[in-house]
Amino acid sequence: MPQHQVLIVGGGLAGMRAAQKAQELGMDVAMISKIFPTRSHSAAAQGGVQAAVSEDDSWESHAYDTVKGSDYLGDQDAIEILCSEAPDDIYSLERMGVVFNRTEEGKIDARAFGGTSVKRTCYVADQTGQVLLHVMWEQLIKSGLKVYSEWFVMDLIVEDNKVAGCVAMEIPTGKIEVFRSKSLILATGGIGQVYSPTTNGLVVTADGQALAYKAGATLMDMEMVQHHPTTMQANGVLITEGARGEGAYLLNSKGERFMEKYAPNMKELASRDVVSRAETMEIREGRGVDGCVFLDLRHLGRDLIMTKLSQIYELSRDYANTNILEAPVPIQPGHHYIMGGIKTDVDGRTWDVSGQNRWQGVEGLFAAGECANVSVHGGNRLGGNSLLDTIVFGRRSGQGSTDYAKSTDWVNIDENSVIRGAEDKIKEIFARPSGGLRTANLRSEMGSAMNDGIAVFRNEEGMKKTLESVRSVRDRFPKISLDNKGKIFNTDLLSVLELEFMLDVAEVIGIGAIERKESRGAHAREDYPDRNDEEYLKHTVVNLDENGEPKLNYIPVTMTQWEPQVRTY
Amino acid sequence: MDATFKVQRYDPESQEGSHYEEFEVDLPEYGSVLEGLLDIRDHQDGSLSLRCSCRSAICGSCSMKINGESRLACKAMVSDIKETEGDIITVEPMGNMPVIKDLVVNMDMFWEKVEKIEPYLQPTGPEPEKEYLVSNDEMMKLAVAMNCIMCGACVSDCTVLEVDKTFLGPAALAKAFRFAADPRDGAQEERLESYNEPTGVWDCTRCFMCVQACPKDVAPMERIMDIRSMVVENEIDKKGRGQRHIQGFIDGVKHSGRLDEFGLARKTFGFPIWAFELADLGIRRILRLRLPPIIHKSIKSAKNVKKIFENLGV
Ligand SMILES: Cc1cc2nc3c(=O)[nH]c(=O)nc-3n(C[C@H](O)[C@H](O)[C@H](O)COP(=O)(O)OP(=O)(O)OC[C@H]3O[C@@H](n4cnc5c(N)ncnc54)[C@H](O)[C@@H]3O)c2cc1C
Ligand code: FES
């Protein structure tokens, strides 16, 4: 049984940053990832990472923009940490080798992004995430981190509400193994495939959120799901906000720059929730074409496009058959990100270390990155703040998990029974008579239902219908049968396990969304169009109760220096 | 849009060896080969194994051979292929790497080579408090190599690796360039020395396959040539390999009008490396019928080529 003081599940930016920190602090660390680390979805981040590095900027201004962007649902103590620690983290990434674009003086350059009062988004052309991810990976080669690549974590092991490790399957061989650890950090990314379509990759399947929830941790503000204003119709692939940051326009079918109407000051660079709603209104009122409006980059000129947005040039050519140098590209709002996630404190702990049990958690279990909710994004994340979240809170959870591991003993594990449990689960799936339901059909039923009812605009009836569909898919889930019953690289099996994770999480999203009877950030309700601070300036928290049913509750938002105000752009 | 996919299948758990299976798929207008394969996996045969994630040519998971050329399945558009290469789309796993199942290969060798070039910045001297001050141009020059998503397409199509597994190969060397050319790196000399060894930059035969295969325009071969220039310019090349390689190249072409690969290796590495270390490679190349002709024949108009050289004063 492999054993490490700190075990990290997830090889994206958050996981690598946590591993780096814990290793630096002298821990025996290992990282488990279901795909090779550089394949992680962090690579897909195009636009950039926010940090107040320019002279005319300040971390307070960054924090205010983030609080406002969050529609006042973000915890202000966490936001202060995120923004004040950002510059040092960005500088340290630069010194590790990130090739940030530069200013004339050779300093790190920043571009404009939505919802920010100054240019604050540091970038590497339109491939920021990929470069950050590769540089972090290089650092882990340098330090000789132990990586279990292509191992799929099936379950967490918890004894007396204390984490003891996890059980995982080696994908190329089908071997099942127990991993023992003192601290365990979940850094498994988002929930993208719960929605169809989505900008997220095929492996982004809510694993960590579901694992934590089943183990007894809390999921917070899961109804806060972000739709990005510029995604491609054919397959949901993203066009970075950096395009608008560099000056691209949004046009309706009449050729009008419609954002002037919805956000007279910031126009195309208003917050994502605002822009996605504006586009949806235009399309609904008949000023779209085939469900899309247009992103026009032509006036930016060939030089700028080819140096700073070349990936967008390629993606538009490949997936929308459009040459952006010559024509506007059709785009629509599409699922992109989840602000909600596993509730943690600012050191990544999922349990309430104060001992007051203000929320339910699992001792020794940590979370960081998109799967966690600290909460810095609240009701709406600003572009460029998510990469930053992975870096700052990845590092802090590396520290937190080290402190915890030093202070605790190993928990005993009945290895054989855990392995048998995992094997039995797979045997049961293999034993189902063939000719049953197909995973892909159920997955797309769930994805379409989520996109119909819990997307840019929401209402009670639509959300209830979505929740019913999700539960109906879950009822039929045991009737799925597989074509592949082999051990070696059985992706057929992985898809079923992933769908199970996603169904749990989809249900929690639905429950929280129906009960939040107001409009805030990404949660825009037609039946409750206004923000209601009196009743809903609070976090939605969902746990499993003793009977294994979801239980909804609320906890207060932490305020430090910014009182809620009317939010206009 | 209908398409026929002919997919190479291999399952180590079954008795049946590697074989091809045909599937008919119906795709949207701008469907990629990846979408076709997912359609097969989702709706026809769930036992088809492949790696994929981002669907947008950035994670590097889905490299495979499509009609014989290594490409990203998510970037290869079915309509383009049908238009220029015919109706049947043949899909096979990458080359130069052992197959695990169907379209999934074992990339251990790929990652080991990348690790060998010490792929991390090694700054020397005191660290700045904030960032290193460097020009945008210097950074963007590196960004070309940083475009590499490590998909393996170049390694899959590399003709040297096919016969010589010890060659560092195009992906690792493109990454090597990224560090050797980084003004913030302090180990340039050691790096260049190690890339100058046999298995390094002089093993490339400039066949261009990697340039053609790379889906991100990294042009690994050109990066290898960049390192060669750095080796020569920085006078790293104490044993004179680069100089001899260039001279050998010129002599060969001047003499016969074409590249004398055999003579070039002998001139570059000199005796005894050429005789002993490369003899093994030579034998493997003979076995694969990839050995350049030992007796080097001139082209018909060799005389004219010689004249060109003389006019240029070379
Ligand atoms: C197209 C796109 C563009 C974006 N652009 C930006 C941007 O410009 N700026 C910005 O700030 N943010 C951006 N974001 C958001 C940001 O990229 C992500 O939120 C962030 O990278 C998530 O990082 P992570 O480390 O939490 O997760 P990931 O990078 O997704 O990593 C998750 C890891 O968990 C592993 N894992 C998951 N489940 C299991 C399991 N069961 N067993 C083992 N391992 C498992 C995976 O293998 C993977 O290694 C973008 C997102 C998308 C989709
Ligand atoms: S799926 Fe990521 S590169 Fe093709």
Side-chain angles (χ1 to χ4, degrees):
Chain A
M1 166 167 67
Q3 172 170 312
H4 302 276
Q5 288 166 307
V6 177
L7 193 62
I8 291 153
V9 182
L13 273 175
M16 293 210 224
R17 183 73 167 156
Q20 183 188 42
K21 185 70 196 176
Q23 217 183 7
E24 210 176 277
L25 294 169
M27 288 287 105
D28 166 20
V29 189
M31 192 167 83
I32 306 186
S33 176
K34 67 177 177 181
I35 48 179
F36 190 86
T38 60
R39 312 289 184 221
S40 299
H41 204 62
S42 291
Q46 302 165 351
V49 51
Q50 289 210 36
V53 290
S54 34
E55 265 141 36
D56 55 354
D57 200 359
S58 70
W59 75 260
E60 289 88 349
S61 160
H62 182 186
Y64 170 70
D65 287 344
T66 304
V67 170
K68 178 180 172 190
S70 81
D71 218 349
Y72 298 91
L73 190 63
D75 283 332
Q76 296 180 8
D77 57 339
I79 293 175
E80 287 175 359
I81 290 178
L82 178 83
C83 302
S84 62
E85 295 184 1
D88 276 347
D89 270 309
I90 296 306
Y91 291 134
S92 76
L93 286 170
E94 194 280 334
R95 293 192 300 262
M96 287 176 214
V98 175
V99 290
F100 283 113
N101 280 62
R102 304 288 163 150
T103 63
E104 296 271 293
E105 304 95 75
K107 296 181 179 167
I108 296 174
D109 191 21
R111 63 163 43 135
F113 244 48
T116 67
S117 46
V118 296
K119 290 186 175 179
R120 186 183 291 135
T121 307
C122 311
Y123 63 103
V124 184
D126 53 0
Q127 55 184 92
T128 314
Q130 183 225 335
V131 173
L132 255 51
L133 186 69
H134 286 210
V135 168
M136 283 304 299
W137 175 68
E138 291 160 14
Q139 294 298 307
L140 298 181
I141 293 179
K142 186 175 173 187
S143 65
L145 180 82
K146 174 76 191 159
V147 180
Y148 298 92
S149 180
E150 299 196 320
W151 281 80
F152 183 92
V153 174
M154 295 174 64
D155 216 344
L156 301 181
I157 306 169
V158 178
E159 300 287 341
D160 296 329
N161 204 38
K162 235 178 135 176
V163 84
C166 67
V167 55
M169 181 173 75
E170 188 179 34
I171 300 170
T173 63
K175 182 169 80 179
I176 291 183
E177 188 103 79
V178 167
F179 291 78
R180 193 179 188 210
S181 71
K182 289 185 170 180
S183 311
L184 189 142
I185 307 178
L186 290 169
T188 53
I191 59 141
Q193 295 294 321
V194 168
Y195 279 78
S196 170
T198 171
T199 61
N200 291 195
L202 297 160
V203 296
V204 186
T205 51
D207 303 13
Q209 291 87 338
L211 288 167
Y213 176 60
K214 280 192 300 183
T218 295
L219 297 183
M220 185 165 93
D221 297 333
M222 294 296 280
E223 67 275 20
M224 295 303 180
V225 174
Q226 178 169 80
H227 281 62
H228 193 289
T230 54
T231 71
M232 273 182 271
Q233 192 176 31
N235 54 3
V237 165
L238 179 84
I239 296 187
T240 175
E241 191 162 287
R244 280 170 290 138
E246 296 294 345
Y249 300 146
L250 286 170
L251 304 178
N252 62 18
S253 60
K254 294 179 163 172
E256 295 161 341
R257 262 184 91 183
F258 57 86
M259 281 313 297
E260 289 171 348
K261 211 164 39 181
Y262 300 89
N265 296 320
M266 302 280 279
K267 302 189 188 73
E268 280 85 358
L269 287 176
S271 256
R272 288 181 179 171
D273 55 334
V274 175
V275 182
S276 286
R277 281 196 288 276
E279 290 176 357
T280 309
M281 294 298 290
E282 291 296 305
I283 295 165
R284 280 187 181 179
E285 288 168 11
R287 290 184 296 277
V289 175
D290 193 16
C292 287
V293 288
F294 298 93
L295 182 72
D296 191 353
L297 297 100
R298 289 172 296 180
H299 56 286
L300 302 182
R302 169 182 277 273
D303 278 358
L304 187 145
I305 290 176
M306 292 321 232
T307 52
K308 292 186 171 175
L309 299 166
S310 62
Q311 204 191 143
I312 300 312
Y313 172 82
E314 272 180 44
L315 294 173
S316 305
R317 182 195 61 202
D318 291 345
Y319 304 127
N321 198 22
T322 302
N323 177 352
I324 56 172
L325 299 174
E326 285 166 11
V329 54
I331 47 88
Q332 58 184 189
H335 170 268
H336 182 56
Y337 184 82
I338 186 156
M339 279 69 74
I342 306 161
K343 161 71 181 153
T344 71
D345 67 12
V346 295
D347 296 311
R349 289 180 283 245
T350 64
W351 73 105
D352 183 2
V353 76
S354 73
Q356 292 168 8
N357 229 0
R358 290 168 299 189
W359 73 88
Q360 197 180 309
V362 179
E363 207 182 308
L365 182 65
F366 294 75
E370 191 169 339
C371 73
N373 185 358
V374 188
S375 108
V376 287
H377 311 301
N380 171 67
R381 166 177 76 93
L382 296 185
N385 262 354
S386 169
L387 291 179
L388 182 61
D389 177 5
T390 66
I391 295 299
V392 172
F393 291 103
R395 171 175 53 73
R396 292 183 66 103
S397 67
Q399 173 81 54
S401 60
T402 300
D403 296 343
Y404 177 80
K406 282 184 178 163
S407 71
T408 192
D409 285 330
W410 295 97
V411 179
N412 284 331
I413 297 179
D414 182 351
E415 187 184 0
N416 290 336
S417 97
V418 174
I419 290 186
R420 219 175 309 121
E423 282 172 351
D424 287 349
K425 183 182 174 115
I426 293 171
K427 271 191 206 144
E428 186 276 319
I429 298 172
F430 284 171
R432 295 177 195 169
S434 42
L437 299 176
R438 294 194 78 83
T439 316
N441 293 344
L442 292 190
R443 190 179 60 221
S444 68
E445 209 178 309
M446 169 191 67
S448 309
M450 292 298 286
N451 217 36
D452 288 346
I454 314 181
V456 177
F457 284 105
R458 308 157 179 198
N459 61 54
E460 175 117 2
E461 198 195 323
M463 289 190 286
K464 283 197 163 149
K465 217 169 116 198
T466 292
L467 188 57
E468 259 169 48
S469 308
V470 168
R471 286 178 171 152
S472 136
V473 171
R474 202 176 47 190
D475 291 342
R476 284 172 284 147
F477 176 78
K479 300 208 178 89
I480 292 176
S481 68
L482 301 187
D483 297 337
N484 187 1
K485 299 180 179 176
K487 279 186 175 309
I488 294 174
F489 227 98
N490 188 341
T491 43
D492 212 12
L493 173 62
L494 297 185
S495 307
V496 183
L497 302 175
E498 289 171 339
L499 179 60
E500 191 178 8
F501 291 146
M502 291 195 282
L503 286 166
D504 281 341
V505 169
E507 183 183 36
V508 177
I509 294 173
I511 292 170
I514 292 169
E515 291 307 320
R516 184 177 282 280
K517 294 184 173 142
E518 64 156 353
S519 288
R520 183 185 299 275
H523 185 63
R525 289 189 63 154
E526 289 154 327
D527 40 1
Y528 298 95
D530 297 322
R531 195 172 81 195
N532 177 352
D533 287 336
E534 225 151 86
E535 285 179 87
Y536 286 101
L537 184 54
K538 57 187 180 185
H539 296 295
T540 310
V541 291
V542 179
N543 292 105
L544 279 182
D545 69 11
E546 312 75 54
N547 307 319
E549 292 296 324
K551 185 180 69 192
L552 179 105
N553 223 322
Y554 294 96
I555 58 174
V557 173
T558 307
M559 305 281 214
T560 57
Q561 35 176 324
W562 298 280
E563 285 298 316
Q565 289 167 5
V566 179
R567 185 165 163 258
T568 52
Y569 283 100
Chain B
M1 180 183 47
D2 293 328
T4 305
F5 277 57
K6 187 174 157 200
V7 184
Q8 184 176 323
R9 305 296 305 268
Y10 168 67
D11 179 2
E13 290 176 273
S14 100
Q15 299 303 319
E16 203 176 1
S18 161
H19 62 284
Y20 289 88
E21 278 174 26
E22 282 197 8
F23 299 92
E24 300 297 325
V25 293
D26 185 17
L27 286 171
E29 201 182 343
Y30 302 117
S32 63
V33 171
L34 177 63
E35 281 169 276
L37 293 169
L38 292 177
D39 186 76
I40 294 169
R41 186 173 89 176
D42 286 351
H43 302 296
Q44 303 185 41
D45 185 354
S47 72
L48 177 66
S49 296
L50 65 147
R51 289 193 182 103
C52 54
S53 178
C54 70
R55 306 166 293 138
S56 55
I58 195 72
C59 76
S61 303
C62 70
S63 187
M64 52 188 75
K65 282 197 171 167
I66 298 168
N67 288 350
E69 285 172 23
S70 296
R71 317 180 215 191
L72 296 177
C74 66
K75 201 174 192 273
M77 294 294 128
V78 171
S79 52
D80 294 350
I81 296 179
K82 279 181 71 166
E83 209 178 289
T84 54
E85 298 168 37
D87 275 344
I88 295 186
I89 296 174
T90 305
V91 188
E92 298 159 310
M94 280 195 283
N96 283 335
M97 288 169 262
V99 179
I100 296 178
K101 180 171 187 293
D102 297 334
L103 302 170
V104 179
V105 297
N106 181 331
M107 288 187 71
D108 288 354
M109 169 276 263
F110 178 93
W111 302 117
E112 279 159 21
K113 289 186 188 301
V114 174
E115 288 190 23
K116 267 200 194 139
I117 61 112
E118 302 193 356
Y120 35 82
L121 201 67
Q122 298 178 27
T124 46
E127 269 199 347
E129 200 185 314
K130 295 181 171 177
E131 74 270 62
Y132 286 97
L133 297 180
V134 282
S135 76
N136 198 50
D137 284 351
E138 279 172 308
M139 288 291 98
M140 291 308 106
K141 203 169 89 189
L142 304 181
V144 179
M146 297 262 344
N147 264 335
C148 172
I149 55 175
M150 297 191 280
C151 65
C154 58
V155 164
S156 167
D157 281 4
C158 175
T159 53
V160 176
L161 278 169
E162 213 175 296
V163 287
D164 179 11
K165 298 282 177 241
T166 65
F167 177 40
L168 281 170
L173 285 170
K175 202 161 176 70
F177 162 77
R178 176 252 166 283
F179 293 104
D182 194 320
R184 300 168 297 180
D185 196 77
Q188 200 194 48
E189 203 173 312
E190 295 82 351
R191 287 185 189 281
L192 292 177
E193 269 165 15
S194 88
Y195 311 149
N196 186 44
E197 292 298 308
T199 77
V201 287
W202 302 105
D203 275 14
C204 167
T205 60
R206 297 210 203 195
C207 72
F208 269 91
M209 292 298 279
C210 60
V211 177
Q212 203 179 329
C214 177
K216 303 298 284 186
D217 296 334
V218 174
M221 187 199 85
E222 286 168 26
R223 305 290 80 77
I224 296 176
M225 296 310 131
D226 288 341
I227 301 181
R228 284 189 186 176
S229 311
M230 290 169 83
V231 164
V232 174
E233 278 161 24
N234 289 286
E235 295 174 7
I236 296 297
D237 192 18
K238 309 254 159 39
K239 295 174 190 147
R241 278 181 194 141
Q243 220 47 60
R244 283 206 301 270
H245 185 85
I246 293 166
Q247 202 53 52
F249 198 98
I250 294 172
D251 290 351
V253 178
K254 191 173 168 184
H255 174 75
S256 60
R258 64 183 186 142
L259 184 63
D260 173 8
E261 282 186 62
F262 205 74
L264 191 58
R266 177 168 40 94
K267 284 186 179 148
T268 303
F269 291 108
F271 198 82
I273 292 189
W274 171 75
F276 295 116
E277 292 187 20
L278 302 187
D280 174 43
L281 168 61
I283 291 165
R284 267 177 288 138
R285 284 199 183 191
I286 291 172
L287 294 176
R288 295 274 190 110
L289 300 176
R290 285 257 177 194
L291 194 79
I294 295 179
I295 301 166
H296 185 69
K297 283 193 195 143
S298 302
I299 60 167
K300 277 191 197 137
S301 45
K303 270 189 199 152
N304 293 339
V305 175
K306 201 168 187 170
K307 267 193 198 140
I308 295 174
F309 274 89
E310 280 162 5
N311 283 345
L312 288 170
V314 184

